[in-house]
Amino acid sequence: ASPSAPKIRVGVLKFGTVNWELDTIKHNKFDAANGIEVEVVYFAGEDATNVAMLAGDLDVIVSDWLWVSRQRSEGEDLTLAPYSTAVGAIMVKNVSPIRGIPDLVGKKIGVAGGSLDKSWLLIQGLARRDHGIDLGKEGDVVFGAPPLLSEKALSGELDAVLNFWHFCARLEANGFRRLIGADDAAKALGASGPVSALGYVFREKWADENPDAAMSFVKASAQAKKLLDESDAEWRRLAPVVRAEGGELEVLRDRYREGIPKRPLAEEERDAAKLYEILAELGGEKLVGEARQMAPGTFWAALKT
Amino acid sequence: MQPAGAAAPLKVDIDEKTFRSAEGVTIVALRGLSFEVRQGEFACLLGPSGCGKTTTLRILLGLDRQFSGSYQLPEGGSKRIAAVFQEPVLLPWRTVEQNIRLALPPRLRDKDLDWLFDILGLSAMRSLYPSELSLGLARRAALARAFATEPAILFLDEPFASLDERTADKLRRLLMTVWAARPTTALMVTHNLREALLLADRIVVLSPRPAHVLGIFDVGLPRHLREAPSLDHLVSEFHKRFSDTV
Amino acid sequence: MQPAGAAAPLKVDIDEKTFRSAEGVTIVALRGLSFEVRQGEFACLLGPSGCGKTTTLRILLGLDRQFSGSYQLPEGGSKRIAAVFQEPVLLPWRTVEQNIRLALPPRLRDKDLDWLFDILGLSAMRSLYPSELSLGLARRAALARAFATEPAILFLDEPFASLDERTADKLRRLLMTVWAARPTTALMVTHNLREALLLADRIVVLSPRPAHVLGIFDVGLPRHLREAPSLDHLVSEFHKRFSDTV
Amino acid sequence: MTAEFGPDNARPSPRRARMVSRGSGVALPAASAAASLLALCLLWGLAAGMWPSRAFPPPLEVWRVLLKEAASGDLGFHLAMTLWRVAAAYVVAMVVGSVLGVLLGMHRRADSFFNPWLVLFLNLPALVVIVLAYIWFGLTEAAAIGAVAVNKIPNVVVTMREGARALEPRYAEMATVYRLGPLDQIRHVLVPQLQPYFAAASRSGIALIWKIVLVVELLGRSSGVGFQIYLYFQIFDVAAILAYTLAFVAIMLAIELLLVQPLERHATRWRRRSA
Amino acid sequence: MTAEFGPDNARPSPRRARMVSRGSGVALPAASAAASLLALCLLWGLAAGMWPSRAFPPPLEVWRVLLKEAASGDLGFHLAMTLWRVAAAYVVAMVVGSVLGVLLGMHRRADSFFNPWLVLFLNLPALVVIVLAYIWFGLTEAAAIGAVAVNKIPNVVVTMREGARALEPRYAEMATVYRLGPLDQIRHVLVPQLQPYFAAASRSGIALIWKIVLVVELLGRSSGVGFQIYLYFQIFDVAAILAYTLAFVAIMLAIELLLVQPLERHATRWRRRSA
Ligand SMILES: Nc1ncnc2c1ncn2[C@@H]1O[C@H](COP(=O)(O)OP(=O)(O)OP(=O)(O)O)[C@@H](O)[C@H]1O
Ligand SMILES: Nc1ncnc2c1ncn2[C@@H]1O[C@H](COP(=O)(O)OP(=O)(O)OP(=O)(O)O)[C@@H](O)[C@H]1O
Ligand SMILES: [Mg+2]
Ligand SMILES: [Mg+2]
């Protein structure tokens, strides 16, 4: 990068999935090619990146659109550019007798991310609509930290686990299968296609002041995604960053590729708004605050043209 | 070993007792200290300040085991020991009365102690905490504790210091009563020669540190005859024998 | 207010001092206690145990402000006060020597104290901690502390209790030397009448609690004449005046 | 340590002091606590007014959230769950920690052997203990409480050990001479001397336990204040976080003022009050 | 409290006791610490052998990870960052906490006013303080250390306050009478009496601070042991978590054995050793 290239501070989890993409950008110098310099700041937890963003320490983080919408409706000028549509899923062991949602009744289900997790709400909504089952009450639900729940699923203490997508992918490589994904639930509840659960989040003010830099960053990201979509060699290079090998790496690779957003932004935004209403219904004020509609501008307007 | 029931004496035979101070100074407190007190006898330890009297009592009380030599406590009925320490050592978080009752064996805990409080002038102080007592009152409470336990062996370390003469006299009489009421072997440290001559059967005179026995003074006179003039006589007799020490 | 340099006395005028114990008992320690000690005079307080002597000293030392009445300290050069408490009150975490030097005003901290340690028999104990002293030695250390400060006012609460006669005598002489060396007003509590008659210019005799002054005994005799026979005479004279009290 | 009334007053004017009556019933502490809380709220309100920020809501907003959560019953439920866990872990940690601490403080040999273990357990991060507990004993209540207790025990041990080391030997000697039974020795000699250490371990203990309970609930429980706080943290609702926190603090404060302080005043009434 | 040699021996046989030489140099503590650590490792190895689990790796595996992380320089870097934060927060918390604690312990009136504030700060979850600090002061080192100190100060206050309450008034009175200067009073009268409380606050203090530093690093730092531990937690690499933990514990242990214990032995040498 030339010394005058605008610097963009991106906060990520060091072992998180976003870092795979950023590492690809840095390694292949996609940032320099687009006239920017990406500075990666590592954090140990997702909440840490959120705090850092609100504390004004970073230009870009990755978070979900629901969070962005809620922050927007409370006055923060955050906005987002789609990053990935990959979402969590309920996983059960290959040999498990659980075949569908009704089989979950009375089973011990681990749920990562707490009772207001988006995936959990959607799957609950589906269960209620299609099967008349209140999973929250009729299942033996345990909330907990994602790595702990994964471990507990492996050891057999949990009958099923709803976890974030990369935990699911690793489970898949270790004898688990998907029972139902949050994307399936979203579609069943009315979404027309995959919605980016996660996006690059930044302040509108920053984007307005640095429109080229912001746009260049999105471009660099797209280039990296393209490379990751097409090159298995790049994945082999990434293996130490991903901390996976063999079958596990392949599953992670495939799921990652499936999660690359491909739809026009306007479509995604429309589906997101629809999902928001559903979620507002399911999660209530606790989840969304007082706003019953997704905050306008949650998706970065500049990408629509 | 003596046949049970025989009157075994209190026998002290300490070769040496050495302290090592925290700063590394070595202090020989006792060397070659040996004496006997017959059962039921009242003995006094007399010796200069810092010579090792308290150290001797602590060894006999079993509170200090790091010495060379041996000792033997007199055989008696209850083997109950009572001690009046040189400082009162009352539990500050218990009232005077609680402090005294606590020292009693459980079966005596509810015993009537009014007479004792009365004699000691503590009746009004039963519910006070030790920090609310004058030093003299605290000493009296410590004496009350020792007397109340009806001991078979009684160790007293300057029990009547910091008391006015009148009170001290009253308490000496009380001590005699308690001691005479049952077969009690008593060993008392004092700096007051007249007191020793008034109370003791024998006086063990100690040398300056390291303490050993300089001589033993047997007070032949029966106690009821130890009035002022004969006491004066005893004092001068004592001074004749231990002219250069006390 | 007196003109500067004039010999203002130590004036005590306490209407009442009442304690309320933790258990709610009210104890009147002093009532209508008033006496004077002229500047440079040596006075003794004599009174039964628990009457309120220590309480009086504590008030004069400024340690207890909850009383009604007033007092006035004598005017003097340095106004430096020294006190020997009834218990030694040495800092357990400092050696004997450190304890003594700490009490000195900074300019005197490095003063030569060998003579003092010598007289008090503490030379071998300079580096010991208070818990390694016998009670008598600890008292001597507390005395050394008071004497070393060259005070203008000296308060002593039974300084010679738990010392053998020989040591006590030596220390009494030392006290006289210290007191005479500079204009010092001294007030000493004691239970020992002979000691009081030997040392004091006047003896303030107190009643049992609540303490008030029963009478004042002026010892007319010059100090160098207070030998055994004339002391005996003083004792009987004192007893004649205060027949029913001491 | 205040020497304000030392005898160093230069003017030889007569000193006068009037008797002061000591009226220390229950009214005074209550009034002072109320004044204190009011002052705190005022300060908070002022600060929140001066630097308005979503991360620092004013007291009234927190109060509103508190009422809402209380009305919905959530507050009561989660608070009760947390309190029960705190109480259980507290009892376990104080009992085990006090016994171990006193034993170590009294036995120099054992202490020098077990001290490295103590340092290890003292410095094991809560995360490690909690995760191991959940892994071994399952995602159960017992594992949660046990993990919290294990986190706190070393702290209690360290404090009580200092207390045991500072014991006055004369009282133990008196007890030996007068042959006090073991129970009497503990009750009348040991416990009163350890009281200040126990009070210190206890106060900072409850606080530490509650903080660890929060982590435990975050990592593997489905109820409790910690669970709720984390939930609200994810949507960055600081007012709700503070509402839950303050509800717990209020209960602690009530226990402190109504139970602990009167008890403590009673237990230490023997101490000479400074004039 | 052991009355093993009370005078209650029923047999009137002569009692004998030999003088015991007290050789307590440095060799003994070192040997005992080594034996202790060895025993711990053995126990751990045995347990890990009996219940093999990914969550409970044997000591050798942890040792291997430790060496690897050390060789890569990561361990050294993160450890240094954490140690510096712990040290800074420790100094701040102990100084501020001790001063406040002693003042509150001595002034009953101030204490009863500020006690509710203390209870509040004592029970504020670390999370709340840390997030507020980061939001207000940015993700800076100062905010991190300040947040940790604020978490720890109330604990120090509570312990030192107990110490100040238990002060022996006679020593202060002696100091007043002999007009010791303020510095002398603090150094010779106050500090020695508070030493056991300081030791307790200090030991459990370092441990608590390190635990909060872990959280601080998790929530907003890009270095330090806490950062690493949490990273490894996400991929559930318990061996690495333990390696980092034990590296810190080892340093604490070294400080304890080489610095704190000799100092403490020196500071408390005046205590009458029980025979
Ligand atoms: N723990 C200790 N460490 C070092 N020296 C000690 C210790 N205890 C006592 N000593 C020393 O042993 C000697 C004898 O002490 P002890 O208390 O027996 O004297 P004492 O005869 O009772 O004197 P006093 O009449 O003054 O009470 C003293 O010189 C004292 O300094
Ligand atoms: N803090 C207190 N609370 C309640 N009562 C107290 C307190 N301090 C002293 N007293 C009482 O006041 C009275 C006088 O005590 P003081 O210590 O002055 O006696 P004293 O004349 O020095 O006696 P002694 O010769 O025994 O030392 C005693 O009855 C004592 O119980
Ligand atoms: Mg003695
Ligand atoms: Mg007195």
Side-chain angles (χ1 to χ4, degrees), chain C residues 156-235:
Chain C
L156 303 138
D157 201 344
E158 290 195 68
F160 307 122
S162 27
L163 292 176
D164 56 300
E165 257 319 298
R166 186 174 282 214
T167 311
D169 255 345
K170 207 162 56 177
L171 298 190
R172 281 182 204 122
R173 267 196 295 278
L174 175 64
L175 170 57
M176 280 296 105
T177 319
V178 169
W179 171 73
R182 40 181 61 240
T184 312
T185 311
L187 182 61
M188 174 169 115
V189 170
T190 181
H191 285 304
N192 185 331
L193 177 60
R194 295 184 83 84
E195 176 176 290
L197 289 170
L198 188 73
L199 299 175
D201 293 312
R202 44 170 39 189
I203 299 175
V204 180
V205 182
L206 299 183
S207 70
R209 183 171 64 81
H212 53 94
V213 178
L214 280 185
I216 299 215
F217 187 86
D218 275 297
V219 187
L221 210 60
R223 279 198 184 69
H224 61 95
L225 295 179
R226 302 188 193 167
E227 303 299 310
S230 47
L231 213 56
D232 283 347
H233 177 73
L234 278 175
V235 168

Side-chain angles (χ1 to χ4, degrees), chain B residues 18 20-23 58 61-73 75 79 81, chain E residues 4-7 9-20 22 269-270 272-273 275:
Chain B
T18 313
R20 247 185 94 75
S21 86
E23 295 290 359
R58 284 177 54 80
L61 284 167
L63 299 177
D64 194 335
R65 301 165 64 192
Q66 298 187 323
F67 64 96
S68 61
S70 66
Y71 67 89
Q72 178 187 303
L73 297 184
E75 214 168 324
K79 294 274 288 168
I81 296 187
Chain E
E4 350 128 298
F5 199 79
N9 195 333
R11 292 224 265 122
S13 62
R15 283 159 207 201
R16 275 189 176 273
R18 292 268 128 211
M19 213 146 9
V20 179
R22 273 202 209 97
R269 69 196 180 290
W270 56 272
R272 211 174 85 195
R273 287 154 300 184

Side-chain angles (χ1 to χ4, degrees), chain B residues 35-244:
Chain B
F35 63 89
E36 274 190 29
V37 181
R38 279 190 292 275
Q39 206 195 14
E41 203 178 42
F42 195 113
C44 275
L45 273 182
L46 203 68
S49 164
C51 76
K53 304 179 292 299
T54 300
T55 305
T56 309
L57 288 198
R58 284 177 54 80
I59 288 176
L60 297 183
L61 284 167
L63 299 177
D64 194 335
R65 301 165 64 192
Q66 298 187 323
F67 64 96
S68 61
S70 66
Y71 67 89
Q72 178 187 303
L73 297 184
E75 214 168 324
S78 75
K79 294 274 288 168
R80 228 182 144 64
I81 296 187
V84 177
F85 301 95
Q86 204 168 5
E87 285 172 287
V89 194
L90 301 169
L91 299 174
W93 38 85
R94 294 287 177 261
T95 62
V96 169
E97 178 156 4
Q98 286 168 341
N99 260 291
I100 292 166
R101 292 205 183 272
L102 253 178
L104 299 180
R107 67 185 163 84
L108 293 179
R109 285 268 160 99
D110 298 319
K111 176 177 166 180
D112 177 29
L113 293 173
D114 294 353
W115 63 277
L116 192 61
F117 285 122
D118 246 19
I119 295 190
L120 290 162
L122 286 171
S123 298
M125 315 286 165
R126 300 171 90 136
S127 73
L128 294 195
Y129 288 100
S131 67
E132 300 168 337
L133 298 180
S134 79
L135 185 58
L137 288 168
R139 280 191 175 289
R140 287 185 247 167
L143 276 169
R145 179 171 61 188
F147 293 165
T149 50
E150 304 175 2
I153 313 170
L154 187 55
F155 292 110
L156 303 139
D157 201 345
E158 292 195 66
F160 306 122
S162 25
L163 292 176
D164 56 300
E165 258 320 297
R166 186 173 283 216
T167 311
D169 256 344
K170 205 162 57 181
L171 297 191
R172 280 181 206 122
R173 267 196 297 277
L174 175 63
L175 170 58
M176 281 295 105
T177 319
V178 169
W179 171 72
R182 40 182 60 240
T184 312
T185 310
L187 182 61
M188 173 169 114
V189 171
T190 182
H191 286 304
N192 187 330
L193 177 59
R194 295 183 82 84
E195 178 175 290
L197 289 169
L198 189 71
L199 299 176
D201 292 311
R202 44 171 38 190
I203 300 177
V204 181
V205 182
L206 298 184
S207 71
R209 184 171 62 80
H212 53 96
V213 177
L214 280 184
I216 300 217
F217 186 87
D218 276 297
V219 188
L221 209 62
R223 279 197 181 70
H224 60 96
L225 295 180
R226 300 185 194 170
E227 303 297 311
S230 46
L231 213 54
D232 284 345
H233 177 73
L234 277 175
V235 168
S236 60
E237 202 177 308
F238 184 91
H239 276 303
K240 227 181 294 160
R241 257 196 72 188
F242 300 97
S243 57
D244 50 340

Side-chain angles (χ1 to χ4, degrees), chain C residues 20 22 65-67 70-71, chain D residues 5 7 15 17 22 269 273:
Chain C
R20 246 184 94 75
R65 303 165 63 193
Q66 298 188 321
F67 63 97
S70 67
Y71 66 90
Chain D
F5 199 77
R15 285 161 205 197
R22 275 202 206 96
R269 69 197 181 288
R273 287 154 300 184

